[in-house]
Amino acid sequence: MNAYEWMQTGFLFLMLLALVKPLGGFMAKVFQGERTFLSPLLAPCERLIYRVSGVEPEDEMGWQRYAGAMLLFNLTLFLALFVMLLTQHLLPLNPQQLPGFSWQLALNTAISFTTNTNWQAYSGEMAASYFTQMVGLTVHNFVSAATGIAVAIAVIRGFVRRKTSLLGNFWVDLTRCTLYILLPIAMIAALVLVSQGVIQNFSSYRTVPLVQSLSYDKLKLDASGNPLKDASGKPVTESATAREVTIPMGPVASQEAIKELGTNGGGFFNANSAHPFEHPTPHTTFIENLLILLIPGALTHTFGVMAGNSRQGWTLLGVMLFILIITFGVLQWAESSGNPMVSRLGVQSSNMEGKEVRFGLAGSNLFTVATTGTSCGAVNTMHDSLTPLGGMMPLSLILLGEIIFGGVGSGLYTMLAFAIIAVFVSGLMIGRTPEYLGKKIEVQEMWLSIVTIIVAGVMVLMLSGIAMITPQAVAAMANPGAHGLSEVFYALASMANNNGSAFAGLNANINFYNLLGSLAMTLGRYVPAIAVLAMAGSLAGKKYVPPSLGTLPTDKVPFALWLTLVILIVGALTFFPVLAMGPIAEHLTMLGGI
Amino acid sequence: MSKHTQQPQSVFDAALLQGALVDCFRKLDPRTLWRNPVMLCVEIASVITLITFVMSLAGANSEPAWFTGTVSLWLWLTVVFSTFAEALAEGRGKARAASLRKSRTDVTARRLDKPEFGSIYTLIGASQLRMGDYILVEASEMIAGDGDVVAGAALVNEAAVTGESAPVVRESGGDRSAVTGGTSVISSAIIVRITANPGETFLDRMIGLIEGAKRRKTPNEVALEVLLIALTLVFLLVCVNISPLSSYSVTVSGQGEPVSLTVLVALFVCLAPTTIAALLPAIGIAGMDRLFQKNVIALSGRAIEAAGDVNVLLLDKTGTITHGNREAVAFVPVGGHSEQELAEAALMASITDETPEGRSVVVLAKQKYQLSREMPPDAVTVEFSAETRLSGVDAGGQQYRKGAADSTIAFVQKLGCMVVPGDLTGVVDRIARGGATPLVVCRDCEILGVINLKDIVKAGIQERFLQLRSMGIKTVMITGDNPLTAAAIAAEAQVDDFLAQAKPEEKLRLIRDYQEQGFMVAMTGDGTNDAPALAQADVAVAMNTGTQPAREAANIIDLDSNPTKLLDIVEVGKQILMPRGNLTTFSISNDVA
């Protein structure tokens, strides 16, 4: 790494660490209903919302009601978006007159945005109108993020509260999260992005002449649109010249800000954050990267503050940072080593295929680990073009269960489930009573934590097996072999873990991926959410056991190391065989030069 | 009632082993095995490999028969070993209930026609006794059934039920009239009205309670099981997943061959946490060995493991928290008598008393009041009797007596003194409230004062409890004393809670309550009345001097009969937990490898 890259990396993490405490503390205040500096402005809005929607803010809910409200809210959102996508051609703000989505694609997309996955089996500029992007997708970016945070807050309350069944009011948490946290930050971020050149307009797409006209071989099509083939079966081509290009426009900045902040990741354009209108300069790399990590990182501090011991939060953040930095290191090493097959040709270079030169190696790699460690899934790099071991890093970060910062809220609650398992196993190993934050870990908590952490993994394993024996899924693979396996695996892992980024190289808009993917996204989102809420309900009902000599301290370095180990072991045990047949096999093939 | 000669059952009893050997194959039935999902998976894997083995033999499979055969054999051994261990444990449980039933001995009773001494009686078996019958029980006879004493008073040895060797007085009227079947009369004769039909007696109730009491898995064990099931499920999927992936890779690359079923099954069994399931008993045996060095016999390895998870200790007051015997700590004079005068009289009244309490009075009188009276030559010992409930000495023409307040007052009133010192009641009450026993001393018809007999809390026990508390273990004192006395001793010993006037049902309920709250309960006991609670407790330590039912119900037996050992056992249990953790670690790192 050169000095610029060190600076890029160091500045990002220092800035993040500097912001965790103020933002985390602020969020704790917001969710505990305390007065903040935004209260004079927003408290009246908040009250108005409650009055209009008939929410009784003091009416706290048990876990079942909380989960019920969460599901009801998400179901409504899903239906609204589903209908909107199907009927897009009838709705306003559609200068390109884009048609409605097919029902399978609409289903997949609606579920994808409701579950904070933002898997996109369509390309934004080709399929979605401005209305869909703004009223549909951007709104979902806000509320799906707020849903995740609300659940995480309810889970924290479960740890903190004693002998009660109440976890707070879902509608209040949702409102406060959106009003006090997401909207203000997204608003500022959107303005900053516009200042960097991110566009924000309602214009129809522009057609501009190319500076240099482009000649290429074009497939000749018959009357029914199929490629013509000559006698030997090769497609017939004809020479064509392109002299102009269509440039898509749109209200990008407003969606871009929340896309990163809410770890959503659904790009306005198909190229996502690699597109210059989404992500024009190295400064936006820093800003967008920071936005991705900001809330998941700060939530650990919110957790610490609400638990009355901020070290508990720093411990979790430490674990997240540790794994993130390690994976970044490996990725950076793999990418700067490049491909030996290319080197053998006499070209000494790091692997810049699929990367944007304006972000550089470190800028691309940082974004890659941040977007996969969190469940964001925005990409500024073609993940498919990473070296095999490099590509294994984002894949591994997703497979670990989206806990290395993780999705907003979901990262924290899944991490807490891991912490519970770590506490339990270490309790067995050293003869300590399994307690976390003064709450006894019992059978129910074990069940629910395990469900929380293995749902996604189980689905990835099952679906990848099914994919390999489904002819349609095999046919959709553009790169057969080990790399193709990695692509399928990445796609399924991305959906099941609600990440949403893709390795590409795979035609995902087929029924197999649209439908099974929808199932994976739904289960991957709501099963853990309900499980952790149930766990919170169970924990809240317990009494507080003051720490004794027999209690394992969970706010110290040894526990952080232990937790890291548990996370890595669970991940390795589950996915090693698959990783071996995908990226590792590909890496060995690459070294062997076969 | 059998005497305490039978040794605790050996872990490897031949008959038990045989029964287990048969049972372990019966337990291979998947319908039984599904409660242990990990093993069920292994069994299914065994069946699959057996099929591939048969296929190899028939030549329908490309793999060599020795390979599939060996894999299959090992898998079957794994399953059978685990079911065998379980069958053995169950066999022990059944043996326990059977032995309890045996302890219902059928004694012969003398049924009286009328509830009077000297009435005509008929000899009948205890099982023919019905509620309302009157029976006569004389010295050194066993009481045939539960009932109330309606005439006479006797010293009754209730060791068979309570495990306490000191005999107690049972007499007609008042609250000391109840007697229990299976206890024996030591002196005097009593007439007992039977209050329970056969099948409803104390012993039957105990058997019922024991059968109802079920020792459960420790919460940590259950939680560990959850983890293991989850791991098994994941590994199962991993192995299932390898198959299509490998066939795909083979198809695409056109070389190698897909991973075979036998290899997948073997891989799954290696990965799955069968190690823990199979090796946990071994840890138990190591723990049993360690406890044996402390003169403690553990009847199952699980008991020791559970000891490590214990967080509530139920401790018998007597012997564990206090020295078994009460000691005189003060002389409190009444009615204007001096302390010295009282001390002298108390010394005289106890000079021939060989009970620990009596000796402690002598010691106190000699040490604190420098009295050195030799026994007068004309001293005549008056033994404690069930009728008077006083003991003392007649010497120099004077009668020195000591006893409970009401008996002493009765004694002096019989001698003709109607006046009782006015401050006596106050002093007696004050001492009783302090958790001690007041013994009133009189010389002839003059009441001199009160001896304060105190339960002496063992030295250093408070520190020990403090240490336990810091380990997160709660201590509960169990005593037959009244709540007042119990509270005073509990406060002095600094236990966290106490249960006074404990009855078998209450102990059992207390344990169940704690268990429902997720606590692991350990207790010690020695009497048959402790047996139900012992059978329910997660860690049950019986004294070797205890009754047979108690020892059968327990899962740990202390050969030294030292109740304090429970604390040691818990400590050993904590040490044992570590290998369990190490094994988990081993299993996981095994998988990683």
Side-chain angles (χ1 to χ4, degrees), chain B residues 277-348:
Chain B
L279 284 185
L280 274 181
I283 300 178
I285 290 168
M288 285 155 88
D289 180 56
R290 204 175 307 183
L291 275 185
F292 192 69
Q293 292 162 9
K294 294 191 181 241
N295 244 355
V296 173
I297 294 182
L299 300 179
S300 81
R302 279 261 302 277
I304 311 167
E305 256 184 84
D309 291 330
V310 154
N311 32 30
V312 174
L313 288 186
L314 300 190
L315 300 166
D316 237 1
K317 181 200 81 178
T318 315
T320 315
I321 296 171
T322 62
H323 292 289
N325 307 311
R326 287 167 295 195
E327 279 179 33
V329 290
F331 297 127
V332 186
V334 293
H337 295 281
S338 75
E339 234 177 282
Q340 197 70 21
E341 201 180 351
L342 170 61
E344 270 177 50
L347 174 63
M348 283 306 294

Side-chain angles (χ1 to χ4, degrees), chain A residues 429 450 461 464 477 548-549, chain B residues 224 230 238 241 248 470 580 585:
Chain A
M429 287 184 177
I450 284 177
L461 287 176
S464 58
M477 293 163 69
S548 64
L549 282 180
Chain B
L224 180 63
V238 167
N241 181 263
Y248 170 78
S470 68
R580 182 170 79 186
T585 323

Side-chain angles (χ1 to χ4, degrees), chain B residues 147-190:
Chain B
D148 281 328
V149 180
V150 289
L155 277 178
V156 177
N157 179 357
E158 294 195 333
V161 170
T162 61
E164 303 265 348
S165 53
V168 291
V169 177
R170 291 289 176 248
E171 58 186 354
S172 58
D175 55 358
R176 299 196 196 196
S177 63
V179 289
T180 311
T183 58
S184 48
V185 172
I186 290 177
S187 70
S188 314
I190 45 172

Side-chain angles (χ1 to χ4, degrees), chain B residues 16 29 35 62 65 90 105 112 120-121 177 207 225 230 240 243 278 293 297 338 350-351 356 431 462 590:
Chain B
L16 271 181
D29 186 340
R35 266 172 290 140
S62 57
E90 270 181 21
T105 42
L112 297 171
I120 314 158
Y121 61 79
S177 63
I207 291 170
E225 211 173 76
V240 168
S243 174
Q293 292 162 9
I297 294 182
S338 75
S350 313
I351 201 150
I431 291 173
Q462 290 95 336
N590 182 21

